[in-house]
Amino acid sequence: MRARDIIARLKLEPHPEGGWYRQTFCDEALDETGRARSTAIYYLLDTGETSEWHRVTDAAETWHWYAGAPLVLTVSPNGHDASAHRLGSALDLGETPQFTVPANWWQTATSLGEWTLVGCTVAPGFRFESFEMAPPGWRPVPRAPGR
């Protein structure tokens, strides 16, 4: 299948960070503030698309690889230190099928091929008011040696 076929079949819409998504689950169980305990989405990156640097300020987000090319998920806990993680099915090559980004960590993702389909589960549930995009062109700045 091509990415456009998957987008149509799964009824995905453009996401503000880039790529395509659709919410597939919103927990009916609410916490004491009235927030869903968890949410889940499908998320697809097509050729040349990137999930731009962003963070969910108050919830952990678990990425689950489903299909297509492997995905590189780069995270930074503090805007300085960054690490890259490959999501995919080639366990013998160090890929893993899921990775959890802690709350308030910066993150960006890129497909390593024509397209990648993943899922993202957020707990407590995702809210756009807790979603922060980095300014255009922002990247983590490595710390000076000895700091």
Side-chain angles (χ1 to χ4, degrees), residues 68-90:
L71 176 109
V72 172
L73 178 63
T74 305
V75 298
S76 174
N78 53 19
H80 297 286
D81 308 307
S83 59
H85 307 271
R86 283 179 64 125
L87 277 66
S89 62

Side-chain angles (χ1 to χ4, degrees), residues 106-144:
W106 292 102
Q107 56 184 296
T108 183
T110 304
S111 175
L112 294 176
E114 289 186 32
W115 57 267
T116 303
L117 177 64
V118 297
C120 295
T121 304
V122 177
F126 179 82
R127 305 179 302 180
F128 270 104
E129 55 267 22
S130 301
F131 174 79
E132 180 183 355
M133 290 290 301
W138 181 89
R139 302 281 183 271
V141 178
R143 295 177 195 260

Side-chain angles (χ1 to χ4, degrees), residues 3-146:
R4 296 293 168 189
D5 300 325
I6 298 166
I7 290 166
R9 185 165 297 197
L10 296 178
K11 299 177 176 77
L12 305 181
E13 298 178 3
H15 195 288
E17 75 196 41
W20 301 84
Y21 85 109
R22 180 171 59 89
Q23 186 175 55
T24 57
F25 176 75
C26 183
D27 198 335
E28 291 180 12
L30 305 178
D31 66 14
E32 59 280 352
T33 69
R35 183 176 183 175
R37 294 197 185 270
S38 65
T39 55
I41 65 170
Y42 288 131
Y43 183 70
L44 183 136
L45 287 172
D46 196 357
T47 303
E49 294 179 333
T50 298
S51 166
E52 299 295 339
W53 282 101
H54 67 282
R55 62 183 169 183
V56 180
T57 59
D58 61 357
E61 180 172 11
T62 300
W63 291 65
H64 312 265
W65 181 88
Y66 294 143
L71 176 109
V72 172
L73 178 63
T74 305
V75 298
S76 174
N78 53 19
H80 297 286
D81 308 307
S83 59
H85 307 271
R86 283 179 64 125
L87 277 66
S89 62
L91 303 180
D92 57 330
L93 298 177
E95 295 175 0
T96 59
Q98 72 179 37
F99 182 84
T100 299
V101 180
N104 209 38
W105 282 35
W106 292 102
Q107 56 184 296
T108 183
T110 304
S111 175
L112 294 176
E114 289 186 32
W115 57 267
T116 303
L117 177 64
V118 297
C120 295
T121 304
V122 177
F126 179 82
R127 305 179 302 180
F128 270 104
E129 55 267 22
S130 301
F131 174 79
E132 180 183 355
M133 290 290 301
W138 181 89
R139 302 281 183 271
V141 178
R143 295 177 195 260

